Amino acid sequence: MPSPSLFEKSSPFSGVYFMLMVNRMQMLYFFIIMPRHLVHPYMIMGIMAVGILSQVNLMLLSKWFSSNFSVQGYQGFVQLLGERTVRVFAFLGLFLILLRITVMTLGFVEIAHQYIFPSMTSNWLILSIFIVCFYLASQGMENTIRFVVIAFLSTIWMVIIYYSFFFPPIASMHDLYPLMPPEWSAISWKGLLLVWSSLSGVEFLVCLTPWLRPKQKMLKYLTIANTISVLEYLVLFISSLLFFSSNYLVKTKYPVLDMVRYLQFPAYERIDIVLISVHLFVLVFVNSIFILLFYGATRILLGKGVQQTTRMGFAASFIIILVSILIVNQWFWKSGEEQNIWLNLQIGVGAFTYLLVPAFLLVATKLKGRFKV
Amino acid sequence: MTHIKRVVLLMIIMNIVLLSGCSSFFVENNTVEEIAPVIFWSIQEGESGKLKISTLVPPLINEKKSMLTLQVNLLKQGRKDFNLVYYRELKSGQLRMLFISEELAKKGILPLIDTLLTDPDISQRLYLVVIKGNFEDYIRNQVDKQENLDYFLYRMLKHYETKNQGDITVINLHQFLKRLYSPFSDPILPVFKVNKENFIYHGTAFFKDDKLVATISDMNDQILQLLNNDYYLKLLPIPSLAVSLGQIRSKVIIKLASDYSSISIKVNLVGRIEEYRGDKNIVDSDELEDLNQEIKSYLEKQTTALLRNMQQWKVDPLQVGTHSLTPFSQPIKDEEWLRKWGDMELQINYQLDLQTMTNVNK
Amino acid sequence: MFWKKRKSGSDRKQNDPNKEVENTTLTLDTLKNIVVNMDDAEIIERQINPDHKVTLLYIRTLINQERLNDEIIEPLIHHSPAPIHECINVCKASKVNDLDEAQRQLMEGAILLSDRSEDQWLAIKLENPLSRSIESSETETILFGPKDSFSEQIEQNVTLIRRRLPLTTLKTEKFTVGSLTRTPIVLMYIEGLTNPELITIAKSKILTIDYDLFLDSSQVAAFMEDHVHSIFPQFQQTDRPDSCVYALGAGKLTILVGNTPFALIAPITFFDLFISPDDYIHRWLIGSFLRGVRFVSFFLSLTMIPLYVAINTHHYQMFPLQVLFVLLESRSKLPFTPFWEAFLMLIIIEIIIEASLRMPTKTGQTLGVIGGIVIGQASVEAGFASKVLIVTVGISTIASFLVPNYLMVKANRLLLFAFMLLSSILGIFGMALGFIIVLVHLNGLTSLKQPYFAPIAPLHMSDWNDLFIRVPLQWIKRRPVSLYPLQKWRSSRRR
């Protein structure tokens, strides 16, 4: 293995990497089930509103990125909050990360299971995905962050496939009516929460600031990333409305994939199999980042934050994640969304952390009185 | 040190394997030469509430073909039982056509369709066809005469579907369901008439929810294609006027009165007169104008009659109701719409723009 | 894999045979002792005048005998009373002081000359100029553009580069590697342009090389690689001087190795392996198109057969009915599963390719006929392989040869087998996993400690103008940013 330490920092990354990372984290899993939860055409406005709200949140976050504490990474957090608090947060973070990885992976595996290998034991799929994740993560944080470019380039083109749904005979304007909600009660608040939660994940990037080149205009990059994500959500949602119309949309489980299944290309039909497989790039990337963060948090928790990373420690935290996912999959994961507490939990927790982390950090820096714009 | 690490690694791997439940790495055997990817099911009513499903095996291969038929309670049961009958495993991943008998369609086909929809193997581009007559007899009779019969039926439907070739209605599973679930629109399906020798396009069936309520054919069907389905007809022969129109493209403008008491449908037809056997001299512009008027009033009469029928049947296959939707107002209820549609006044207006071919007779 | 520690070169001294000679004082006797049992060693002693005796010692096969006669023997016979090194007609004569030095000079084709009167040894270089003439490259042929290529003579190779880059800043640093072969290595770079960090890394890597035999530059590369287990070449090997010059001008290093026509270029990226000198000779649109074709064909050669296996084993739903019709027809009576069928055909193709490389050209053509027509046609008719597979294998094999770099072609074939295995187990999902693994690997790979997947990861958008497409040369204003050259701009007006 090339790098002696998993968390080595040889050259800082520009904000572009963070832009791609934010975007891909927002396009991980929830967008697949999103249209089904939004259903009504007037929720187009809802997506935009949440997108703007998220933008405000990112402005808070970018303030943190430009603060003095963020540059120092772990030391900055210790200065800001005290070591004990940081440990508590690391402990909480472990569960957040674990929950996030679990829900995203199992959600994806469920899709792969349904569309590609209906008869396969899903544990094998999880295992095969995680072996690849381990390989990526074991190359160290730097290489993993760099991998985002590949993950981005190999998946961003997928949105283009949906262009054909915007043209007749599939598209007709009346499927998008009405654009205004009839009354406030008709708004699917859970759907909005889902959109907000699917925009989350960005808050974990505060742990990656040491790899970021300091003194950049982070807001610009975060804005671009957020805008791309929201646009992608809109494209997918509008096209699924056009394709299904809202009454039918409720009855489909994975509208975004069913739409692709409908397309026929001259050489291949069933593009969904290819697209699901290619989407694996994003999943592997995000999982690897989170596995590394998990390891980092464990080290902070055990008070070994400054010591050399060890293969054993890394492997151990990897195994913990894998085993807990397998256990959840085996005994606790229920297919179908309504009764799936894990999914609802992640929607809630994701939304919660996304809302609170930037605000909390900002308030903490303000209170320290050393805030510098 | 390295030994310890290796042992630990080995143990970890073993544990993971154990955690995976010791289950075998089971993937479906889809090796193409061992399976028979059926491309159609034909479903009829069987005895005592059962379904009678049949298909042709082996599909797609130039081997001697035979018809398999089973009486089952459930569709999937049929799929399972076929495997017990036939030496290749039947797979439904390439299912392209579903032939439903008219009798079954009258009783409702939603349970059938739903089964197909939930199967992730089956493409939503599955063509649905209603069959008048005994389809099995036709297949049994024709399979010796024509190899790959099933395949050619699929090619035919696909040909007419691509870019809306006019002539016949082609509806797939998704389109059917979208119309079924959406308010203000009722599904339609093509109807084919079969006997021992022939497989003939008959017309279009109208569905109320998932039940067949009426079938239209001939001129009515042609008008339906112009009004809604394809907006294009390659040929429209009107025998009573001794004229054939060709390459007709239609543009339909539908306007609803704000209180839904009347509807005006304006149809602009652009096409050409391809054949004329009447006694007018259509090179002469006045007489051509006469002919145009005759065609116009004929079409208006026919269309009005068709729509009146729809109103009687209380179906809305033209999706007229969708025109009541606007961006900033509340949609009306589906039932309310159907009630209003039932006694709506019709104003049908055709605009013709027909070219004459110069070398017509006289 | 990652717990292994490399053994350090502690047993270095035992391997060096020259060190066994104990007596290091330079006398005729010790020299004679060294050349004992060497048939081609010759010692000439000549008494020029009573108090002046000259001894010549040389290896016959290494020196230029004509020049020996003309430039040394002749002047010595008609010698003047002047000191010996003034009367001989050669430009370069150096004093030799110890035995090691004498041996080295001797084996490099020098003539040792002893002047008894002054009690000193002179070494006069008169190497045998035995070498090939400059021919055109056979491994990287192009239709237009310069035709000359390197030969086995390192000096000549340096000349070819120096003629193209008449710069005093073009530095050539010489090293020797190989305890037995003593292969000369010349590290070339443009001072003030190439990133000094690269030079330092390369030098330190060359200095740590410790091995006995070096017969080709690829062996030198093997010792300089960052990742020994990777299947991707981390050094570009070329025998085209223009490629080397292009690399030097872009801020890379070139390493010439003695006795082989293949020079090494480093650091390279994955995408450099797809670049042919043709790209800069054609019109830019055509060059870009050809480069695009190369990338596409690389992708096709990797995916076509695995896709065939995947679809035939797992995803029969993926094909349109029209295609499935053909496929079922051709596969219906085959004895093997798609994976084994494809595997066997690929092995046969590999055998044919290897065989045709070893055969003389004319036999090679026969082999092509046998391989292509007889085996292809016959295996279909015998029912061992489907027609579709034969077509697929054919296209994919030809497509794999579009990559200009031969080492990459071979890497590609090996990857193909891995992909086939994955696709037979997990279908397209497995292929995606395979692609991720390969890309993760490429992402972590380095060449001379520089990222291998460079303009993409790490992202350098300004290098993309010469990546998948080649924009007009006027627009390629910068040298590759990923190499961090000291002079960023290619045009002299912008500095």
Side-chain angles (χ1 to χ4, degrees):
Chain A
M1 287 292 133
S3 64
S5 165
L6 285 174
F7 298 110
E8 202 181 50
K9 299 155 205 148
S10 62
S11 58
F13 287 101
S14 87
V16 179
Y17 293 88
F18 276 58
M19 173 179 103
L20 303 180
M21 233 153 40
V22 167
N23 173 254
R24 284 301 101 180
M25 281 181 172
Q26 292 175 335
M27 292 297 293
L28 184 54
Y29 169 63
F30 280 161
F31 75 94
I32 297 172
I33 54 171
M34 189 187 289
R36 182 201 140 92
H37 283 263
L38 295 175
V39 175
H40 303 291
Y42 47 76
M43 295 305 273
I44 295 172
M45 303 287 179
I47 295 181
M48 288 198 235
V50 174
I52 291 166
L53 214 62
S54 161
Q55 180 60 36
V56 174
N57 206 23
L58 289 178
M59 281 156 87
L60 298 184
L61 196 66
S62 68
K63 285 242 164 81
W64 159 257
F65 277 122
S66 62
S67 79
N68 264 351
F69 298 107
S70 77
V71 184
Q72 299 166 41
Y74 171 65
Q75 296 303 332
F77 280 111
V78 171
Q79 266 182 40
L80 187 65
L81 305 165
E83 203 189 331
R84 185 168 295 236
T85 334
V86 171
R87 277 202 199 178
V88 172
F89 278 117
F91 184 67
L92 286 176
L94 284 185
F95 288 100
L96 295 180
I97 292 169
L98 203 56
L99 180 69
R100 185 169 279 269
I101 296 184
T102 310
V103 173
M104 300 301 167
T105 313
L106 290 187
F108 179 84
V109 165
E110 198 184 332
I111 291 171
H113 189 249
Q114 181 175 346
Y115 283 89
I116 309 181
F117 297 116
S119 59
M120 188 193 241
T121 322
S122 51
N123 282 344
W124 285 110
L125 285 177
I126 297 174
L127 189 65
S128 57
I129 293 171
F130 265 82
I131 289 173
V132 181
C133 290
F134 179 76
Y135 181 48
L136 177 54
S138 69
Q139 304 226 340
M141 193 53 122
E142 254 190 346
N143 280 330
T144 311
I145 293 178
R146 216 192 282 149
F147 189 73
V148 71
V149 187
I150 296 169
F152 181 83
L153 289 177
S154 47
T155 46
I156 185 70
W157 53 271
M158 289 203 243
V159 189
I160 301 166
I161 287 185
Y162 290 85
Y163 82 95
S164 58
F165 295 108
F166 287 88
F167 296 99
I170 293 170
S172 51
M173 264 320 266
H174 62 75
D175 281 327
L176 295 181
Y177 297 151
L179 280 170
M180 278 294 161
E183 58 221 347
W184 284 104
S185 64
I187 297 173
S188 150
W189 294 107
K190 202 191 156 195
L192 289 183
L193 192 69
L194 179 75
V195 178
W196 176 259
S197 183
S198 73
L199 286 167
S200 76
V202 185
E203 67 271 18
F204 287 97
L205 296 187
V206 295
C207 312
L208 299 183
T209 37
W211 283 272
L212 186 66
R213 190 180 301 149
K215 308 261 180 290
Q216 300 190 86
K217 286 180 184 140
M218 276 309 283
L219 183 60
K220 183 179 87 183
Y221 295 117
L222 293 178
T223 307
I224 295 172
N226 197 50
T227 317
I228 295 175
S229 310
V230 171
L231 281 179
E232 279 177 275
Y233 291 167
L234 282 176
V235 166
L236 293 177
F237 182 53
I238 293 175
S239 60
S240 60
L241 273 178
L242 290 172
F243 183 65
F244 287 107
S245 81
S246 50
N247 289 51
Y248 186 17
L249 190 57
V250 195
K251 296 185 167 62
T252 44
K253 197 171 177 192
Y254 299 115
V256 173
L257 295 171
D258 279 342
M259 283 155 72
V260 186
R261 239 176 84 188
Y262 188 73
L263 295 177
Q264 287 182 332
F265 289 79
Y268 297 115
E269 296 172 354
R270 300 295 305 270
I271 299 292
D272 53 330
I273 296 178
V274 178
L275 291 201
I276 292 170
S277 306
V278 173
H279 192 67
L280 206 60
F281 272 91
V282 182
L283 185 80
V284 165
F285 163 71
V286 177
N287 271 356
S288 307
I289 286 276
F290 279 117
I291 289 170
L292 283 169
L293 285 181
F294 186 89
Y295 177 46
T298 323
R299 274 154 38 92
I300 291 171
L301 186 65
L302 299 175
K304 289 181 177 173
V306 281
Q307 290 174 23
Q308 177 75 8
T309 57
T310 58
R311 295 281 168 203
M312 285 303 291
F314 173 66
S317 46
F318 172 77
I319 301 274
I320 291 170
I321 295 173
L322 178 56
V323 167
S324 44
I325 286 183
L326 288 178
I327 288 171
V328 171
N329 184 45
Q330 194 70 36
W331 288 294
F332 302 109
W333 183 264
K334 299 262 185 321
S335 178
E337 292 132 51
E338 300 309 325
Q339 66 274 39
N340 190 342
I341 50 158
W342 294 93
L343 192 74
N344 290 329
L345 196 64
Q346 170 57 30
I347 293 175
V349 169
F352 185 72
T353 52
Y354 186 41
L355 189 68
L356 284 196
V357 168
F360 172 77
L361 287 175
L362 205 64
V363 169
T365 39
K366 285 255 184 205
L367 286 181
K368 269 277 173 183
R370 275 185 275 168
F371 182 65
K372 192 183 96 192
V373 179
Chain B
M1 190 59 193
T2 51
H3 276 311
I4 297 170
K5 276 177 181 167
R6 271 177 204 164
V7 169
V8 170
L9 190 74
L10 202 71
M11 277 173 63
I12 288 166
I13 290 170
M14 276 173 63
N15 279 328
I16 290 170
V17 171
L18 284 175
L19 253 165
S20 304
C22 281
S23 55
S24 65
F25 192 79
F26 183 67
V27 185
E28 241 175 281
N29 185 353
N30 279 345
T31 318
V32 280
E33 63 267 28
E34 293 168 18
I35 57 167
V38 281
I39 56 178
F40 78 91
W41 298 113
S42 149
I43 305 181
Q44 286 171 298
E45 257 196 318
E47 293 146 23
S48 62
K50 285 191 171 181
L51 294 173
K52 191 170 157 197
I53 39 181
S54 32
T55 188
L56 203 60
V57 286
L60 297 176
I61 306 177
N62 285 327
E63 285 175 18
K64 181 95 182 93
K65 303 216 175 193
S66 60
M67 184 93 175
L68 291 182
T69 305
L70 279 175
Q71 298 248 5
V72 285
N73 291 312
L74 301 166
L75 195 63
K76 293 276 165 152
Q77 189 193 353
R79 211 178 119 186
K80 191 174 170 61
D81 289 356
F82 274 132
N83 291 337
L84 306 178
V85 177
Y86 188 57
Y87 59 89
R88 284 199 183 101
E89 189 186 350
L90 265 67
K91 296 261 180 182
S92 51
Q94 286 279 1
L95 195 64
R96 301 304 175 118
M97 295 172 289
L98 187 71
F99 298 107
I100 305 166
S101 76
E102 200 187 9
E103 296 80 43
L104 200 64
K106 278 180 180 158
K107 289 186 177 158
I109 53 172
L110 191 59
L112 276 182
I113 303 257
D114 211 41
T115 317
L116 298 174
L117 185 72
T118 46
D119 191 336
D121 258 1
I122 293 172
S123 161
Q124 302 208 14
R125 291 225 178 214
L126 176 73
Y127 297 122
L128 300 178
V129 174
V130 173
I131 296 288
K132 247 186 164 126
N134 195 337
F135 185 61
E136 276 176 50
D137 279 356
Y138 167 70
I139 295 278
R140 267 184 228 287
N141 211 23
Q142 292 294 315
V143 74
D144 294 332
K145 293 182 197 160
Q146 195 179 6
E147 280 178 359
N148 299 321
L149 182 67
D150 43 357
Y151 177 65
F152 290 122
L153 284 179
Y154 166 74
R155 289 305 292 260
M156 175 189 82
L157 289 172
K158 189 161 173 66
H159 170 78
Y160 285 112
E161 184 200 36
T162 322
K163 306 222 166 84
N164 297 333
Q165 291 304 302
D167 294 347
I168 72 173
T169 308
V170 181
I171 295 286
N172 61 34
L173 184 60
H174 170 77
Q175 290 165 330
F176 182 83
L177 282 170
K178 186 181 175 188
R179 279 172 169 235
L180 180 66
Y181 286 123
S182 301
F184 319 120
S185 62
D186 288 309
I188 55 173
L189 282 186
V191 181
F192 281 80
K193 217 179 203 169
V194 286
N195 52 33
K196 282 205 165 179
E197 302 295 327
N198 293 309
F199 187 81
I200 313 154
Y201 178 70
H202 177 66
T204 305
F206 294 155
F207 281 70
K208 177 88 198 142
D209 292 331
D210 64 327
K211 295 186 180 65
L212 189 149
V213 288
T215 309
I216 55 162
S217 58
D218 303 331
M219 183 51 80
N220 281 336
D221 185 57
Q222 304 281 296
I223 288 173
L224 183 78
Q225 307 296 344
L226 282 181
L227 283 184
N228 184 261
N229 203 22
D230 293 333
Y231 302 105
Y232 174 70
L233 272 183
K234 208 160 277 167
L235 273 177
L236 176 68
I238 307 173
S240 59
L241 301 174
V243 67
S244 293
L245 308 181
Q247 318 288 350
I248 311 172
R249 231 164 244 300
S250 66
K251 196 172 176 215
V252 184
I253 301 160
I254 297 178
K255 279 211 175 93
L256 278 173
S258 53
D259 58 348
Y260 307 121
S261 63
S262 70
I263 180 171
S264 99
I265 299 178
K266 235 185 222 166
V267 187
N268 288 323
L269 287 188
V270 181
R272 57 190 193 202
I273 297 171
E274 295 208 334
E275 188 188 7
Y276 183 65
R277 293 178 58 141
D279 9 288
K280 290 195 177 65
N281 179 11
I282 57 169
V283 184
D284 180 69
S285 63
D286 286 346
E287 294 199 31
L288 180 66
E289 189 53 37
D290 284 351
L291 181 67
N292 269 2
Q293 277 304 327
E294 278 174 22
I295 296 171
K296 182 172 139 81
S297 61
Y298 174 82
L299 285 174
E300 281 171 1
K301 208 179 78 196
Q302 283 283 336
T303 311
T304 316
L306 175 65
L307 286 173
R308 285 260 175 271
N309 280 335
M310 288 183 193
Q311 284 177 323
Q312 268 172 23
W313 293 322
K314 286 208 178 292
V315 290
D316 182 8
L318 295 181
Q319 311 187 2
V320 179
T322 54
H323 293 271
S324 71
L325 294 168
T326 55
F328 303 109
S329 67
Q330 291 321 303
I332 61 167
K333 288 259 166 7
D334 202 15
E335 301 82 44
E336 197 188 341
W337 161 253
L338 275 180
R339 199 164 42 77
K340 292 205 163 148
W341 165 241
D343 30 59
M344 201 171 271
E345 223 170 274
L346 301 173
Q347 293 163 9
I348 314 283
N349 188 15
Y350 272 82
Q351 291 280 315
L352 298 182
D353 179 7
L354 299 176
Q355 291 175 305
T356 44
M357 314 293 275
T358 46
N359 54 348
V360 286
N361 46 350
K362 286 185 191 171
Chain C
M1 183 165 57
F2 40 79
W3 1 77
K4 249 184 227 166
K5 281 182 194 121
R6 190 188 276 185
K7 275 189 183 170
S8 60
S10 60
D11 45 3
R12 183 175 191 162
K13 291 219 166 75
Q14 283 94 352
N15 281 346
D16 206 338
N18 291 341
K19 291 278 185 288
E20 285 163 20
V21 182
E22 280 170 14
N23 194 350
T24 53
T25 46
L26 183 61
T27 61
L28 187 59
D29 288 338
T30 52
L31 279 174
K32 272 183 178 165
N33 202 18
I34 285 166
V35 299
V36 73
N37 281 346
M38 281 171 79
D39 169 56
D40 51 356
E42 282 182 0
I43 300 172
I44 300 172
E45 292 189 352
R46 189 148 296 188
Q47 195 82 29
I48 297 175
N49 52 34
D51 58 334
H52 208 158
K53 190 177 176 189
V54 173
T55 311
L56 293 170
L57 175 65
Y58 57 86
I59 311 286
R60 190 176 63 236
T61 46
L62 287 180
I63 60 148
N64 189 342
Q65 300 222 21
E66 276 179 30
R67 280 180 68 194
L68 175 72
N69 284 338
D70 292 353
E71 294 168 16
I72 298 174
I73 312 267
E74 281 286 310
L76 279 177
I77 292 169
H78 309 284
H79 91 290
S80 56
I84 261 186
H85 58 266
E86 281 175 21
C87 66
I88 51 181
N89 273 347
V90 286
C91 46
K92 195 178 166 192
S94 56
K95 274 186 189 171
V96 183
N97 295 324
D98 63 87
L99 193 62
D100 274 353
E101 173 72 10
Q103 284 185 65
R104 204 174 55 75
Q105 294 274 14
L106 190 64
M107 297 319 290
E108 280 175 8
I111 290 161
L112 294 180
L113 188 146
S114 124
D115 190 350
R116 285 281 168 83
S117 62
E118 287 165 40
D119 195 28
Q120 63 174 358
W121 286 86
L122 294 177
I124 302 156
K125 281 258 165 123
L126 280 181
E127 301 111 321
N128 192 342
L130 181 70
S131 112
R132 274 192 304 145
S133 59
I134 295 172
E135 288 157 11
S136 62
S137 168
E138 281 179 9
T139 46
E140 291 174 76
T141 36
I142 56 169
L143 278 173
F144 291 94
K147 297 276 186 186
D148 53 352
S149 74
F150 289 140
S151 67
E152 281 76 6
Q153 287 291 89
I154 193 165
E155 300 281 319
Q156 199 173 312
N157 297 347
V158 175
T159 314
L160 286 177
I161 293 182
R162 276 232 185 262
R163 276 203 196 143
R164 284 180 166 83
L165 282 176
L167 298 169
T168 48
T169 47
L170 176 67
K171 300 298 176 193
T172 51
E173 291 191 42
K174 195 165 184 181
F175 303 87
T176 309
V177 295
S179 53
L180 290 182
T181 51
R182 310 202 147 267
T183 314
I185 286 185
V186 175
L187 174 70
M188 298 183 91
Y189 55 88
I190 302 178
E191 200 178 48
L193 192 154
T194 311
N195 184 5
E197 191 194 326
L198 298 179
I199 303 168
T200 323
I201 296 171
K203 271 190 207 164
S204 70
K205 286 207 177 237
I206 292 173
L207 288 175
T208 51
I209 293 177
D210 179 29
Y211 202 62
D212 55 351
L213 295 166
F214 286 97
L215 300 174
D216 184 57
S217 53
S218 57
Q219 290 158 346
V220 178
F223 280 88
M224 293 176 69
E225 278 166 357
D226 299 331
H227 306 264
V228 183
H229 301 295
S230 174
I231 60 165
F232 294 101
Q234 291 149 45
F235 285 79
Q236 191 178 347
Q237 275 191 298
T238 180
D239 62 349
R240 299 186 57 86
D242 52 340
S243 294
C244 288
V245 170
Y246 192 82
L248 284 168
K252 295 182 189 173
L253 308 173
T254 294
I255 299 164
L256 296 174
V257 179
N259 302 322
T260 173
F262 289 98
L264 298 174
I265 296 174
I268 56 159
T269 66
F270 179 71
F271 305 97
D272 285 342
L273 299 173
F274 291 87
I275 292 174
S276 160
D278 285 29
D279 295 357
Y280 304 96
I281 289 165
H282 285 291
R283 318 283 311 151
W284 77 270
L285 274 170
I286 297 158
S288 305
F289 171 72
L290 290 179
R291 196 180 282 182
V293 168
R294 238 172 269 146
F295 279 107
V296 168
S297 70
F298 177 76
F299 183 75
L300 275 186
S301 70
L302 264 186
T303 50
M304 272 183 82
I305 299 174
L307 215 56
Y308 172 86
V309 174
I311 287 176
N312 276 309
T313 4
H314 295 288
H315 314 292
Y316 70 98
Q317 316 95 318
M318 271 190 74
F319 268 144
L321 216 49
Q322 297 87 312
V323 183
L324 190 71
F325 191 80
V326 180
L327 209 66
L328 266 180
E329 193 61 43
S330 76
R331 272 206 63 83
S332 60
K333 291 180 184 93
L334 295 184
F336 303 119
T337 59
F339 172 74
W340 286 111
E341 182 197 5
F343 184 79
L344 284 177
M345 286 315 292
L346 273 183
I347 289 283
I348 291 171
I349 290 279
E350 281 308 296
I351 292 172
I352 293 173
I353 293 172
E354 274 302 302
S356 60
L357 279 182
R358 309 275 169 260
M359 292 223 181
T361 332
K362 283 186 181 154
T363 336
Q365 283 172 357
T366 329
L367 199 74
V369 174
I370 294 174
I373 299 170
V374 180
I375 295 182
Q377 185 74 23
S379 58
V380 169
E381 272 172 19
F384 280 114
S386 73
K387 291 170 212 158
V388 184
L389 180 73
I390 297 287
V391 175
T392 321
V393 167
I395 294 173
S396 123
T397 310
I398 292 170
S400 73
F401 280 102
L402 252 73
V403 182
N405 192 301
Y406 185 70
L407 295 176
M408 196 62 210
V409 173
K410 286 290 144 188
N412 178 7
R413 307 301 290 173
L414 203 62
L415 271 185
L416 181 58
F417 280 101
F419 273 116
M420 237 168 62
L421 191 67
L422 278 172
S423 76
S424 81
I425 297 171
L426 278 172
I428 288 181
F429 192 81
M431 278 173 70
L433 282 177
F435 266 107
I436 295 176
I437 293 173
V438 169
L439 284 169
V440 167
H441 176 71
L442 284 172
N443 179 50
L445 212 58
T446 50
S447 161
L448 272 193
K449 309 268 185 214
Q450 306 306 307
Y452 194 61
F453 216 56
I456 289 188
L459 194 63
H460 295 289
M461 286 302 275
S462 55
D463 288 359
W464 279 42
N465 56 11
D466 192 15
L467 184 67
F468 297 113
I469 55 163
R470 201 269 294 169
V471 297
L473 284 177
Q474 293 90 325
W475 294 0
I476 310 178
K477 287 182 180 151
R478 276 165 169 264
R479 303 207 160 83
V481 181
S482 55
L483 296 169
Y484 300 102
L486 296 182
Q487 297 169 22
K488 285 177 185 160
W489 300 96
R490 285 180 188 268
S491 69
S492 55
R493 265 178 246 148
R494 300 179 73 165
R495 288 280 170 194

